[in-house]
Amino acid sequence: MYEKILLAVDGSENAKRAAKHAIQMASLNSNASVKIIHVIDLSKVKSEVLNPDLKEEREKRLKEVESAFKKAHVSYDIKIEHGEPGPTIVTYANSRQFDLVIVGSRGLNSLQEMVLGSVSHKVAKRVKCPVLIIK
């Protein structure tokens, strides 16, 4: 079973569902621990400075995920990174040899994904371990 699990969260509803799945997976193995990574997108930092409510909302959503782990008594640790989410998650995951990466799907339509590329798609293509994408 999986012992080292990386959970990427961005505060979205899909990320909350991904957190529930990470808790379920970690609960199957008493030695499992979950590293929760949240990447602050540098392109959005300026908007958070101009609108402090955005930063508070992001922090509130991260606290919701954290409280779910506490309630389930699942071992976790939170890591905040700065950068472009997809490549940052990939670099972090590959440099620490996780057994599983869990990420929520952002729900882009086909055209948006083709033009922009989704974070979950980038992670699934480039991470060197199994990836579970939650919709």
Side-chain angles (χ1 to χ4, degrees), residues 7-20 65 103-105:
L7 169 65
V9 297
D10 63 0
S12 67
E13 288 303 313
N14 286 337
K16 290 178 190 176
R17 281 192 289 282
K20 289 178 185 176
V65 169
V103 62
S105 170

Side-chain angles (χ1 to χ4, degrees), residues 94-109:
N94 287 341
S95 66
R96 286 162 182 82
Q97 299 178 343
F98 285 93
D99 299 319
L100 176 68
V101 175
I102 302 175
V103 62
S105 170
R106 194 157 103 205
L108 298 177
N109 67 37

Side-chain angles (χ1 to χ4, degrees), residues 53-66:
D53 291 341
L54 293 175
K55 181 180 178 184
E56 289 176 23
E57 183 64 29
R58 177 177 46 83
E59 290 172 353
K60 178 184 168 195
R61 290 189 217 147
L62 193 55
K63 292 269 188 220
E64 289 175 17
V65 169
E66 185 176 10

Side-chain angles (χ1 to χ4, degrees), residues 5 23 30 47 69 114 134:
I5 300 170
I23 290 168
S30 61
S47 61
F69 276 85
M114 185 178 73
I134 304 299

